[in-house]
């Protein structure tokens, strides 16, 4: 299963920002390829008391 997301990252090579949607990122400006290592923490929602 591939997680879909939209994340704006900064290219370490040319330092320009671009948006990636999968773990395999390629900078559209300088063509460098990267694999994102995401550390996602799922937090249960707190029940709101009214």
């Amino acid at each position: 299963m591939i997680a879909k997301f939209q994340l704006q990252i900064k290219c370490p090579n040319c330092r320009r920002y671009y948006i990636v949607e999968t773990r395999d990122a390629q900078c559209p400006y300088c063509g460098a390829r990267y694999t994102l290592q995401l550390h996602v923490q799922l937090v249960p929602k707190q029940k709101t008391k009214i």
Side-chain angles (χ1 to χ4, degrees):
M1 176 179 152
I2 297 177
K4 293 290 289 181
F5 54 87
Q6 281 199 335
L7 184 67
Q8 186 181 47
I9 64 173
K10 183 169 75 169
C11 178
N13 191 23
C14 63
R15 287 175 163 62
R16 292 170 100 170
Y17 287 92
Y18 62 100
I19 293 178
V20 294
E21 293 185 352
T22 57
R23 284 184 59 224
D24 296 320
Q26 182 176 8
C27 179
Y29 302 108
C30 65
R33 291 181 173 271
Y34 303 99
T35 298
L36 301 180
Q37 293 182 340
L38 299 178
H39 299 281
V40 179
Q41 184 178 10
L42 297 178
V43 180
K45 288 186 176 181
Q46 300 295 325
K47 295 179 180 177
T48 56
K49 295 179 181 179
I50 300 174

